Amino acid sequence: MPKLIYILNGPNLNLLGKREPEIYGRETLADVEARCREVAGEFGLAVTLMQSNAEAQLIDWIHAARDKAAGIVINPAAFTHTSVAILDALNTFAGPVIEVHISNIHKREAFRHRSYVSLRADGVIAGCGIEGYALAVRRMASLVAGA
Ligand code: CA2
């Protein structure tokens, strides 16, 4: 059985590729999933990509990951900057966590500069567009190897 990586996405990312292409690009979440699956395959990993606009759902998926996933790649979207609950959930997960942002949050409004999730993340990728997800999966392959 290949090790499974959860790729979790927060609110409004279902609109990826459909709105604000100047910030988030023209590719959709389905494109992200396809690219991540391709990279994961190179390393013998499997991926499950999920998106929710609800904080509780994201927390439930993080809890489920405790039994099901070797690692979590997460773009918490706006919850990055607000959610102690998502941070607490990630702190219950023993495996590696990589935080991804499509845009460079440090080049944007001051309220986007703080990330609660970064207090738990083993790595953070920002400003690399959707390629950031593929980079995260690649890094995840190193982190879960032999674990
Ligand atoms: O850059 C990122 O990936 C963000 O996590 C995206 C969040 C934003 O709140 C964070 O500060 C940075 C927003 C996600 C909204 O996604 C959309 C995608 C396409 C069109 C409209 C919204």
Side-chain angles (χ1 to χ4, degrees), residues 13-18 25-34 130:
L13 285 165
N14 52 312
L15 297 178
L16 197 62
K18 298 168 186 165
R26 294 195 179 277
E27 285 164 297
T28 65
L29 217 46
D31 296 322
V32 172
E33 184 170 26
I130 70 155

Side-chain angles (χ1 to χ4, degrees), residues 81-130:
H81 319 296
T82 62
S83 182
V84 176
I86 289 178
L87 169 63
D88 287 347
L90 288 169
N91 277 330
T92 72
F93 180 73
V97 173
I98 302 186
E99 177 182 352
V100 172
H101 299 286
I102 298 165
S103 64
N104 181 358
I105 54 175
H106 301 290
K107 205 176 171 186
R108 300 183 66 189
E109 303 96 319
F111 67 83
R112 294 186 203 276
H113 298 175
R114 179 185 65 178
S115 167
Y116 286 106
V117 170
S118 291
L119 292 167
R120 166 61 181 88
D122 299 294
V124 181
I125 297 168
C128 296
I130 70 155

Side-chain angles (χ1 to χ4, degrees), residues 27-92:
E27 285 164 297
T28 65
L29 217 46
D31 296 322
V32 172
E33 184 170 26
R35 182 74 188 109
C36 287
R37 187 148 290 135
E38 190 175 276
V39 174
E42 288 171 25
F43 295 96
L45 298 173
V47 294
T48 295
L49 183 144
M50 295 179 277
Q51 185 277 333
S52 178
N53 294 325
E55 190 175 25
Q57 177 64 84
L58 291 162
I59 291 166
D60 286 347
W61 284 333
I62 294 166
H63 293 172
R66 287 155 48 82
D67 294 326
K68 293 188 177 143
I72 298 175
V73 172
I74 184 165
N75 182 347
F79 292 144
T80 306
H81 319 296
T82 62
S83 182
V84 176
I86 289 178
L87 169 63
D88 287 347
L90 288 169
N91 277 330
T92 72

